[in-house]
Amino acid sequence: MKRAPFLFAGVLGVLLILGTACGGAAAPTPAKAPAAKATPAPAAKPAATPAPASQPAAAATHEIASVGEEFKFDQSKLSAKAGTGVVLVFKNTAKTPGLQHNWVLVKAGTKDQVATAGTAAGPTNNWVPQKDDKVIANTKLVDPGKTGEVQFTAPAAGTYQFVCTFPGHNITMFGEFTATP
């Protein structure tokens, strides 16, 4: 019978731990306990949503747009420090219904290959080839007057290209992305 109090205390302790771990209320604080002990331990506080593993905590925002009804971007050069987070906001300024664009970051010298493969990928894939190691980052297709966004980590130091892979746009709608050391 001497084990009963210990068994009861052990079961109660396990239940309190499980209740706290599953989001239950913390056990009431004894009246003699100082107020500072009533606050939950840091592990019990709701954690902030962490950035995806591929994203550094700090990110630089770049804004780029199409130029009205023309097949070109309003900037031909962008840059970011290699390994830093990048948030790219792309605005399609066209007014013509159906004149969609995207922004696709690719390895140097591959923009036309990626655009050709994008044509085969079709509109359900945003005219971007899936699982293509030449594609670093891309927005979805953006309708006229709308904005799209992509977050990525700037690749290793070097020069890359960005392009619109909507069929035929890659001929004039591209630019250079430099990842600086």
Side-chain angles (χ1 to χ4, degrees), residues 38-86:
T39 59
K45 291 180 184 177
T49 304
S54 63
Q55 293 296 315
T61 300
H62 292 281
E63 295 181 4
I64 190 167
S66 63
V67 177
E69 310 313 295
E70 299 179 46
F71 295 156
K72 69 181 202 177
F73 291 107
D74 68 348
Q75 299 173 63
S76 62
K77 294 184 185 264
L78 295 173
S79 66
K81 185 174 179 181
T84 61
V86 177

Side-chain angles (χ1 to χ4, degrees), residues 30-127:
K32 296 179 185 177
K37 290 186 181 181
T39 59
K45 291 180 184 177
T49 304
S54 63
Q55 293 296 315
T61 300
H62 292 281
E63 295 181 4
I64 190 167
S66 63
V67 177
E69 310 313 295
E70 299 179 46
F71 295 156
K72 69 181 202 177
F73 291 107
D74 68 348
Q75 299 173 63
S76 62
K77 294 184 185 264
L78 295 173
S79 66
K81 185 174 179 181
T84 61
V86 177
V87 176
L88 183 115
V89 179
F90 170 61
K91 179 164 183 155
N92 182 350
T93 63
K95 295 188 184 342
T96 304
L99 185 53
Q100 297 175 311
H101 296 297
N102 62 12
W103 183 93
V104 183
L105 180 62
V106 299
K107 292 182 179 177
T110 67
K111 73 174 182 66
D112 294 328
Q113 293 170 2
V114 170
T116 299
T119 299
T124 57
N125 290 312
N126 297 295
W127 303 109

